[in-house]
Amino acid sequence: MTDDDHMRAAIALARTQLGKTGLNPSVGCVIVAGGAVVGQGVTQAGGRPHAEEQALDQAGEAARGAVAYLTLEPCGQRSTGTASCSERLVASGIARVVIACTDASTYASGRGTERLRTAGLKVELGLLETEAGSLYADYQPPRT
């Protein structure tokens, strides 16, 4: 399967929760290691847990050296004060993160991707951005 195929799978996951995630956007995450899906998640009802948390929990040690496909930039800070998704991705040992869309939220807005890059992860932005972007047409990100 290609990067496009894995991102389309993440987009399909995100579509399943549209309108059910409260103020949070519905995000899809697929983690692939050695060509096989080892973890996947989607933002749950009310906005918690986040897609990345579920996918990383499912992947466990298989996340080391793997690729994460995200429909939206991972959070760089959590409103709850717990570890952000970008912190969790770094700690998991993920090697590469492919992101469809950036997030203008004050909790993300480049902070998540910057943390990933600073930690040495390969980050790619914009894969299937138009297709994934339709998921967020009505999303109103929090701003300060």
Side-chain angles (χ1 to χ4, degrees), residues 15-136:
R15 276 198 184 103
T16 68
Q17 288 295 95
L18 282 179
K20 302 174 186 174
T21 57
L23 297 177
N24 285 356
S26 180
V27 176
C29 177
V30 174
I31 298 175
V32 177
V37 174
V38 295
Q40 57 186 2
V42 61
T43 310
Q44 291 299 296
R48 301 273 191 284
H50 288 186
E52 299 91 330
E53 294 174 282
Q54 296 167 72
L56 288 168
D57 286 349
Q58 191 176 91
E61 283 300 311
R64 290 216 172 275
V67 181
Y69 297 87
L70 308 173
T71 59
L72 194 66
E73 176 185 5
C75 60
Q77 177 185 349
R78 294 288 287 269
S79 61
T80 61
T82 59
S84 69
C85 290
S86 59
E87 289 170 310
R88 288 172 176 251
L89 287 163
V90 169
S92 74
I94 289 277
R96 178 175 163 235
V97 181
V98 182
I99 303 165
C101 302
T102 58
D103 183 351
S105 165
T106 56
Y107 297 107
S109 192
R111 295 162 82 179
T113 54
E114 180 61 28
R115 176 176 285 118
L116 300 175
R117 287 187 174 118
T118 299
L121 282 71
K122 184 175 181 182
V123 177
E124 299 168 29
L125 289 170
L127 180 67
L128 301 180
E129 181 176 18
T130 301
E131 192 173 329
S134 67
L135 298 167
Y136 308 112

